[in-house]
Every structure is written in structure tokens, then in C-alpha cells.
Amino acid sequence: MPQDKNVAHAFWLAGRQATGEDVFDVTSPWDGRLVAKVGVPTDAQVEEAVAAAHAVLEEFAGTPAHVRAAALDHVGKRLAERTEEIAQLISAENGKPVKWARGEVGRAVSVFRFAAEEARRFNAGEAQRLDTDAGGQGRLALTRRFPKGVVLGIAPFNFPLNLCAHKVAPAIAAGVPIILKPAPATPLSGLVLGELLAETDLPAGSWSVLPVANDKMPALVQDERLPVISFTGSDKVGYAIMDSAPRKHCTLELGGNGAAVVLADYASEEDLDWAANRIATFSNYQGGQSCISVQRVIADAAVYDRLLPRIVAAVEAQVTGDPSDPKTDVGPLVSEDAAKRVESWVREAVEAGATLLTGGGRDGATYAPTVLADVPDDVTISCEEVFGPVLTVRKADGEAAAFAAVNDSKYGLQAGVFTHDIQAAFRAHRALEVGGVIVGDVPSYRADQMPYGGVKQSGVGREGVRFAMDDYTYERVLVLTGLAL
């Protein structure tokens, strides 16, 4: 990548570097400095990328598994080699504290490793005897998976590397061409992936990284040559995409307002310290800009009074400051406007009767880690995804009331349940209207190989490498006749 900040970064068009006619600036949300200039693809270049991906669809599907796996292994290895450089880049463009950025690079390394492993075993086929009825005598069905078509992957700003990896790696593993659109605020991490993919032997046209503006997205969404859309972002934009292209296959990873439930049995000093520290850390990591950050704590009345001061103390211990400092826990939000929005939601809640226990201050794009109690159910911060370092805490009279409070939301991404009771864990799994229940920890836990996604307005479909590969492909049955089974 160019060292001179005034030299525009190239983008990746059908596997090769290209420059457009215009450029845009990527700036740091921490101090506003110029991080890089990035070239913008022209409409003609976008058309070229889509046409190339569509043209290579059959060839890429037939690429030997070892070729795709080797490419994925290479990207993972190169990401690991360049961890510090890329972490600093993420921190600069996103404002993420560098210690969290290093973790994000490590997760992306794992995603490409998982994808390489899946590429080697994907599509082995499943044989099914059909002679279970007389009419199927001598017949065998063999089921394999084939691409639904070119994927349009639309990634958000909050995990600018790893969520690009979750679009690209499964597509390559399954032999499906992909057009990746990184977030305009944070395109540099996606361009690094392009740089590493260009070092592989993947077919030209099988991938492109196009940092196009958001106002160009509707044309891509409508393009019939892109029948699969994988989008991560807000529920408003995600459902607008689905509504505008109802016949396309859409995977939507949308918002949440993650709840952490602390049940009555989680009552020892060690239990409450663990819960409070995990809640404080993961309500504020990434500046709260994670769909599965802890936004709500619902504590049983039996432990509430002992838990609450621990949470406040742990939140106040979070270090806010320069994201390039390894000691920083909480950096800025992606923009000052984002911080102003969080500030207005907290003000609305306090004016409606909420109690501000700590935090509540803004300095530019940075918002102080905040805890609220006694929050009315009808204020914005109770109903919507705050996407900032703000935590609400409430008391519940028993397990059933706590689970009902979790479900009293239009979102349903993940929930955390602090309990030692295995029966309570299974009751939570059955009762909670979410895509994932994390027992003994916060809802923010995600392993990149597990199925990840939500219900209600948190989206449709699942990511996680193998599950995304299934989403990008469909089953096709081959029936063989006249066999001596």
C-alpha cells in the first residue's frame, strides 16, 4: 500500500489494480487527520467488474479445491505476518483501540484458515439410496451444491477487516465469485485483502474490491447478474435492500440490543465480579459499535444490589483515549455525528426519568462509557440499537420475568445468560427469541466458525464460514439409474 498519504490507493478490479477518475479522503475519527486517499471506481469500471465476475462463474465453480484452499491459506498466512501493520491501519481508519484491532486481525486469520479447511471438504456429495420404494429400485441420488450466482458482499465500518473476510473467504471456499463493497468510511482493510488475494492463483474476475459510494449501491443491488446479496449493517438499510430486490437471495446481518441476564444462582463474589467485568468490557469494546455489544443488563432482584456497584466500578475503570495507545480500552465512535446521536439518546432517557450512574459526557467523537438505571421502556435507548458505549441496567423478579424482558425487543441477535444451572441454560435456549444464547458470558461472544445471525429485525440467514457457503450455493440432485445397489 502506498506510504505517501497523498497518493491514492488503487482498488481491485477483477483481480488487478485499477484507479478511477475521482478520489476520496479517509480520515481518523480520533483526530481528523488524513489517513489515506482512495480511488473511486467509475461506473464503467463497476460494470467491468460485474461482467467479469458473471463471466467466470462456471470456471470458478470448477476450480480444484486445492487451488481455492491454497489461496485461502495464503491470505491467512499473510494477514498473520502483517498483523501489526494492519492493526494500526484498522485503528487509524476506524478509531478502534489498537489492542482490539490486533484481535480483529487474528480473527480474520482464523476465518481464512477455517475457509481453507472447508474448501477441502466442501461438496463431497451425499449419496441416498432411492430403492426404499419399489419405484426407486436400482436408483441412487447424489446431492452436491452449486453457486447461486455472483455474490455482492456489502461490509460495515465496525469490523472493517473481519466482516470483509466473512464475505470473501466463504465465497472463495465455495467457488463463488464475489464483488466486495467495503464501507466508505473504512475501505483500507478491504483493499488490503485485495492486495493479498492478488498474490494468489485465483481466476481473474473471481473477486473485486470496489470502494464505491453508498449512492451507487442501489444499482448494484438491482443488477440481475448479482443474485446473492450478503449485507451487514443497519436494519433500515438491510430491509430496504431486501424490499427492493425481493427475488434475490439475501443474507442480512443487522442490528441488536444485546441483553446480559444474571440469574439468582450466579451469586458468589467471584461470579458477580466476573459478570460485572465482562459486562463492562463488552458494553464498551469497539466503542460499543458492535451488534452484539452488551446494551442491556437484566439482573435478578436477588443479586441486583450487589451486582450494580460492581458494574459501575468496572465501567469507570475502562480507559478512554487515543486508540493508538495500547492501554486504551475505549476509543472514539466512527464520527462526531455518531457520538452526538448517542448523546441525544442518553439525554432523552435522563429527561424521561432514567438515572445516570456514570458517564454521559462527549468530547468530539468520543463518548464516555455510560451506565443508566431506571430507564423507561418507551425511550429510544430502550427500543433501538445504541451502537455506542452505553449500558442500561434493570431488575427482574425471577427467571421468567428476565427472559420476558429479553424478548421485549424488536431485535433478536444474541443474549448472554449468567447461570450455573444447566436446566436454566436449556430453558433459556428454548425461551429466548435470539439467534444465539451464550451461557456463562456476555452476548458479545462469537466464534467465527459457528452459525451467527438473528431473528426478528436482527436479520435473516447465517454467517460463519460453512453456513455462509451454504447460503451462497444450492443443492442439485443427480439421480443414477440401473445400479446394482
Side-chain angles (χ1 to χ4, degrees), residues 162-178:
N162 197 42
L163 293 183
C164 284
H166 269 287
K167 310 298 181 191
V168 171
I172 292 171
V176 182
I178 184 167

Side-chain angles (χ1 to χ4, degrees), residues 145-210:
R145 302 190 72 88
F146 294 86
K148 292 174 179 173
V150 180
V151 175
L152 171 60
I154 305 170
F157 71 83
N158 57 327
F159 289 85
L161 177 68
N162 197 42
L163 293 183
C164 284
H166 269 287
K167 310 298 181 191
V168 171
I172 292 171
V176 182
I178 184 167
I179 305 292
L180 176 67
K181 179 198 173 303
T186 57
L188 302 177
S189 302
L191 295 175
V192 168
L193 283 185
E195 187 178 332
L196 303 183
L197 287 167
E199 298 171 355
T200 71
D201 295 325
L202 294 174
S206 59
W207 60 273
S208 292
V209 183
L210 303 180

Side-chain angles (χ1 to χ4, degrees), residues 281-340:
T281 297
F282 289 96
S283 64
N284 293 291
Y285 85 127
Q286 330 287 339
Q289 297 169 123
S290 168
C291 297
I292 47 176
S293 68
V294 186
Q295 183 170 331
R296 299 180 289 156
V297 174
I298 302 160
D300 191 282
V303 296
Y304 180 88
D305 290 338
R306 294 167 59 214
L307 176 66
L308 183 57
R310 286 174 160 89
I311 290 175
V312 173
V315 168
E316 290 176 342
Q318 296 287 302
V319 177
T320 302
D322 184 344
S324 66
D325 186 339
K327 296 179 182 178
T328 296
D329 299 308
V330 186
L333 275 68
V334 72
S335 68
E336 187 169 357
D337 284 345
K340 287 179 177 178

Side-chain angles (χ1 to χ4, degrees), residues 344-366:
S344 71
W345 288 13
V346 171
R347 184 187 306 116
E348 176 201 21
V350 171
E351 290 174 352
T355 302
L356 179 65
L357 298 176
T358 191
R362 181 181 65 83
D363 181 8
T366 300

